[in-house]
Amino acid sequence: MTDVRTQSEVKDITRIERIGAHSHIRGLGLNDELEAKPVSQGMVGQTAARKAMGIILKIIQHGKIAGRGVLIAGPPGTGKTAIAMGLAMSLGDETPFTYLSGSEIFSLEMSKTEALTQAFRKSIGIRIKEETDLIEAEVVEIQIDRPASGEGIKMGKLTLKSTDMESTFELGQKMIDALTKEKIESGDVITIDKATGKITRLGRSFARSHDFDAMGPNARFVQCPTGDITKRKEVVHTVSLHEIDVINSRSQGFLALFAGDTGEIKQEVREQINTKVAGWREEGKAEIVPGVLFIDEVHMLDIECFSFLNRALEDDLSPVLLVATNRGITTIRGTEFQSPHGMPVDLLDRLLIITTDKYSDLELEKILQIRCEEEDVDIDENALKLLVKIGTKTDSLRYAIQIIMSAHLVCQKRKGTQVTIDDVKRSYMLFIDTKRSVDFLEEYKNEFMFHHIDNTGDDDSSMRD
Ligand SMILES: Nc1ncnc2c1ncn2[C@@H]1O[C@H](COP(=O)(O)OP(=O)(O)OP(=O)(O)O)[C@@H](O)[C@H]1O
Ligand SMILES: [Mg+2]
C-alpha cells in the first residue's frame, strides 16, 4: 500500500440536539488544582471520584502513557456514566472518545474480538500534518456548456484571478457539480483543495461590492488573493486509526463509514496501516493522540473479551480504557467462577479503581434542580423538596428524575405554569417505583403467571443493598 488515504470528502452530518439523560453535564467541574467544586458544569458532589477522574484527564492530555485502565464502580444511579460523560466533555473534540455498552459487542455480523479491535482503533487518533496544493483566487467567470440534448456530460471553463495573474481551467462534471452545489458565481473568492477537489467559499471580492444593491446579511467581503494562484499550505487534521482502516480497506470504501456498517476489516490492512503510521511518526508527519475507550456495563463482557482486554492494554497503540459497573461479587460471564465486579482478578489488577457513593439530600436536591432547568420545568420549592424526599425514600435518583417530566405534564394538563406539590404527588401515584412494584407483586403473587422465587442462586448482585 503506497498511498494511504486519510481523508474522505464527505462531511459528517450535523446532529440534532435533544435532552438526554446526561445532557446537563458539560465537564468534570474541576478547578485548576484539580479540586472538584461542589456544583460545577452540571456536576454535583461525588468529589473524590471527580478529582480522581481529573488526574486521569491529565494523563490522557499528556498523551505519553498508553494502555492505562480505569474502573468506576458503585451502586446504580450514582453517576458513573455521568462522570465518564464529564470526562468526554473535558477532553474536547480533538481527542477521540468511544462509548460502548458491554452488550453491544455481541452482534451477529462481527466476532467479539473484531468489535473490540474496532472500538480500540476508533479511540486512537492520528494527527496528520500534510502539505496540500491549494488554489486560492477570485472567480472571474464560470462558463458551462450544456449538451444540446440536455443530457450527457457537461463541460466547462473556469477563469480565476489573483492580483498578479489570471488563468483558465477546464472543468469536468464533478467540479461543475461541486461549483453548482456551493452556488459559486463570479466575484466570489474561493479555495480549491487540489487533492480532494473540495471547494470552499471565502466570501465576495471587495472589488465587486458595488455591483449589488441588495446583499444578504451574511455577505462577507474579502480581498482578492495576492501572488500565485496555486499555493502550498500545511493543513493539520485528526482522524482515528479505525477511519484510516475503513477508508483504505478496498472492500469497504469510505462510504461505509457513513452507513455505519463497516463489517470486518482484514488484519493485513491493519498491519499495513500500522507500518505506514509508524513511518509517518518517524518523519514527523504524524502524531498519536491516544483517546479513551469507555465500556459501560462492563460485566456484560465474557471471559474471552476480558482476556482480549488484558492483551490489548499492553499494545503500544492502546487508548486509555475506562470501564464502569454496578455489580458486586458475581459470576464472570462464560465461566462458573465468581469474582468482584464480575471481572477476572488479573484484569482488575491492571485497573485503577474509582468508586462512587450514594448522594446526600442536599446533593440530590441540586441534581434534581439542574435536571428541572435542563428539561425547562419550572418547579416550586416545596415540590422540589418532595421530589428529594421521593428520591431518598425510593432510593432511586433516576425515579425522581423521571417524575419531573410527568409532573410537568400533569401541571400542563391543569393549565398551570409551575409544578406544585400536588402535581408531584399525582405523578408519584400514577407511576410506581421499583419498591412499590415489588410490594405489589408480593401482595398479588397468586394472580400473576409464572411466579417463582429462586432461593438458591443470587443472581442479582448489583451493589445496591
Ligand atoms: N454527580 C452528578 N451530577 C449531576 N448529575 C448526576 C450526577 N450523578 C448522576 N447524575 C444524573 O443522574 C442520572 C443517573 O446517573 P448515571 O446514569 O450516571 O448512573 P450510573 O452510576 O451510571 O448508574 P448505573 O449503574 O445504573 O448505570 C443521570 O441522568 C445522571 O446524569
Ligand atoms: Mg451507567
Side-chain angles (χ1 to χ4, degrees), residues 53-115:
M53 201 44 94
I55 295 171
I56 304 293
L57 171 70
K58 283 281 169 272
I59 294 179
I60 301 165
Q61 281 170 341
H62 287 295
K64 295 243 160 57
I65 308 172
R68 280 300 145 109
V70 180
L71 164 70
I72 316 179
T78 49
K80 297 182 293 298
T81 311
I83 290 176
M85 291 300 138
L87 174 73
M89 291 294 186
S90 315
L91 280 172
D93 290 340
E94 264 265 287
T95 314
F97 184 95
T98 315
Y99 178 17
L100 203 73
S101 177
S103 40
E104 262 173 67
I105 62 152
F106 300 97
S107 92
L108 291 174
E109 281 121 47
M110 244 185 252
S111 70
K112 293 177 274 191
T113 46
E114 171 70 17

Side-chain angles (χ1 to χ4, degrees), residues 288-387:
I288 305 282
V289 188
V292 180
L293 170 58
F294 174 43
I295 308 183
D296 209 352
E297 320 281 336
V298 69
H299 50 264
M300 291 309 290
L301 299 185
D302 63 9
I303 188 75
E304 286 170 35
C305 298
F306 288 131
S307 44
F308 177 90
L309 292 185
N310 274 345
R311 195 55 210 91
L313 271 179
E314 281 162 21
D315 198 291
D316 261 3
L317 283 178
S318 170
V320 169
L321 176 72
L322 179 61
V323 298
T325 178
N326 55 21
R327 297 300 154 107
I329 295 176
T330 185
T331 318
I332 305 171
R333 264 187 95 166
T335 71
E336 293 149 16
F337 302 109
Q338 301 246 320
S339 181
H341 310 295
M343 294 161 76
V345 276
D346 58 343
L347 176 57
L348 282 174
D349 196 36
R350 290 169 161 85
L351 304 176
L352 293 166
I353 303 180
I354 297 177
T355 53
T356 52
D357 289 327
K358 292 268 168 73
Y359 291 110
S360 69
D361 282 4
L362 211 68
E363 287 164 344
L364 274 186
E365 183 174 335
K366 211 61 221 165
I367 296 176
L368 288 166
Q369 199 182 355
I370 291 176
R371 281 307 298 183
C372 286
E373 279 162 26
E374 183 68 23
E375 295 180 23
D376 234 348
V377 175
D378 189 7
I379 188 163
D380 81 18
E381 209 177 303
N382 292 332
L384 184 65
K385 287 262 174 337
L386 179 61
L387 263 188

Side-chain angles (χ1 to χ4, degrees), residues 397-431:
L397 167 62
R398 282 215 179 90
Y399 176 72
I401 291 181
Q402 311 269 41
I403 290 290
I404 297 176
M405 211 7 107
S406 51
H408 180 57
L409 291 177
V410 170
C411 168
Q412 275 184 340
K413 185 91 194 302
R414 65 167 177 84
K415 300 210 165 50
T417 51
Q418 195 182 36
V419 174
T420 61
I421 283 207
D422 285 337
D423 300 326
V424 176
K425 273 191 194 152
R426 188 95 211 277
S427 187
Y428 178 76
M429 297 315 289
L430 280 174
F431 301 100

